[in-house]
Amino acid sequence: RRYMDAACVFNSILMYINRVKQYHVRSAQYDQILKKNEQMYALLAVTVALSPAAQKLLDENVVTQLRERNNEKIGRMEHG
């Protein structure tokens, strides 16, 4: 399966969202950006749980946010 590729794509997208979301604070789409951001972190958590080696490809800021938001979920997925 292509979990490594998925992790790279999620990493790129999440880094981009983190860079540009500060410019959309007063925008009507800000809530949608935050919701998509949370969904992307959830998908990345599933990817990392299925392929722990994918975490090595991630930016440290993305890994920090991932652990803060989804650490418990990742643990449950890893242990069944």
Side-chain angles (χ1 to χ4, degrees), residues 26-77:
R26 295 190 178 139
S27 171
Q29 292 87 14
Y30 187 69
D31 290 335
Q32 291 176 347
I33 291 170
L34 292 180
K35 184 177 179 183
K36 285 296 169 195
N37 196 33
E38 288 298 320
Q39 290 173 343
M40 296 293 274
Y41 274 109
L43 289 170
L44 182 58
V46 171
T47 304
V48 169
L50 292 173
S51 178
Q55 189 170 350
K56 294 177 185 172
L57 303 173
L58 303 177
D59 183 66
E60 65 182 61
N61 293 330
V62 173
V63 172
T64 302
Q65 288 293 317
L66 180 66
R67 290 291 172 194
E68 285 177 4
R69 297 168 190 229
N70 297 310
N71 197 23
E72 183 181 320
K73 291 180 185 177
I74 292 172
R76 283 190 305 207
M77 285 188 276

